[in-house]
Amino acid sequence: MLPPEDIATIADELARAEQDRTMVPRLTVRHPDMTVEDSYAVQAEWRRRGQAAGRRLVGRKIGLTSKVMQAATGITEPDYGAIFDDMVFENGSVIEFDRFSNVRIEVELAFVLSDDLEGADVTVFDVLRATEFVVPALEILSSRIEMEGRTIVDTISDNAAMGAMVYGGNPVRPHDLDLRWVSALLYRNETIEESGVAAAVLNNPALSVAWLARKLASHDDKLSAGDIILAGSFTRPMWVHRGDTILADYNEMGTVTCRFA
């Protein structure tokens, strides 16, 4: 493990980069022996400082759950990050483009929990019982660490590249539809750019949430009632630019949209 002073220094760097909209050099260049557990320790310290400053934890995001996302990043295992209250936008929001670095969009399903999920043996059935609603969502990716050559260690330390999320469409109960067959069309400025089916996320996005609960148990953490869980993208990340309008059409689940100004 990295010494605590190094973990604190990296967390400070990332907090400044988020505030200043800048990027820091890859951690794996400066700390070649840094491990996945080191990176989660950095993320936990960054999250702790955010909460101490008054940010409220409202959920988690799961990343790199689909083959298409793993191929796009060169990373082969899922990861997770924190969602604070100031990262959540309502459908139709106009979002400040300069708030983020290396802005990209992903299409996802968000699970809203009615009960806690805790322990190393959480199953997909536990997830379905604990989920009140599933809603369409867009994840806004923002990288505070230079992207060229980054590894999962860099990505996890950077809060799994979480920038923000937009939720919308029609909330549905998980037993009212086959989550595997939820599909979406992703438009940028009225032109379709990507499409996908939710089964790309570990064959069922509820399995992704079960993975997260088990992973958090290994870090002495849990998912809580009321949490919003972004289950992972089933399209490739799409670059966006200032002025772009984004819309994802989930058919019977409705649409979710935002504009970057």
Side-chain angles (χ1 to χ4, degrees), residues 54-131:
R55 301 178 82 179
R56 183 169 60 90
L57 186 69
V58 296
R60 306 299 176 99
K61 62 99 23 130
I62 310 166
L64 307 175
T65 55
S66 67
K67 291 294 184 182
V68 68
M69 282 303 302
Q70 291 175 0
T73 60
I75 297 169
T76 58
E77 63 178 304
D79 63 2
Y80 71 82
I83 303 175
F84 286 124
D85 55 342
D86 58 4
M87 295 176 170
V88 181
F89 291 89
E90 294 182 351
N91 202 4
S93 290
V94 177
I95 299 171
E96 180 189 357
F97 181 79
D98 288 336
R99 174 176 171 174
F100 309 105
S101 303
N102 303 292
V103 189
R104 291 145 290 150
I105 283 281
E106 295 178 346
V107 169
E108 312 205 7
L109 289 175
F111 288 64
V112 182
L113 301 182
S114 57
D115 301 297
D116 294 355
L117 281 172
E118 181 177 11
D121 57 353
V122 170
T123 69
V124 66
F125 305 111
D126 297 320
V127 171
L128 295 174
R129 281 191 292 265
T131 299

Side-chain angles (χ1 to χ4, degrees), residues 188-189 238-246 258-261:
R188 177 177 54 203
N189 302 327
M238 182 182 73
W239 288 91
V240 295
H241 309 282
R242 189 191 315 276
D244 283 349
T245 295
I246 307 300
C258 64
R259 180 169 65 85
F260 290 89

Side-chain angles (χ1 to χ4, degrees), residues 5 7 33 63 74-75 100 105 114 124 153 156-157 167 184 186 188 191 215 225 228 242 244 247:
E5 56 269 24
I7 289 172
D33 297 327
I75 297 169
F100 309 105
I105 283 281
S114 57
V124 66
V153 169
I156 293 169
S157 301
Y167 67 91
L186 179 61
R188 177 177 54 203
T191 299
K215 187 70 172 180
I228 304 168
R242 189 191 315 276
D244 283 349
L247 181 141

Side-chain angles (χ1 to χ4, degrees), residues 157-175:
S157 301
D158 192 21
N159 195 36
M162 176 68 186
M165 64 169 287
V166 185
Y167 67 91
N170 303 320
V172 298
R173 298 188 184 276
H175 59 270

Side-chain angles (χ1 to χ4, degrees), residues 211-231:
W211 172 87
L212 175 60
R214 295 193 296 266
K215 187 70 172 180
L216 286 174
S218 72
H219 294 152
D220 298 318
D221 204 349
K222 68 173 185 177
L223 298 173
S224 300
D227 278 354
I228 304 168
I229 313 300
L230 284 174

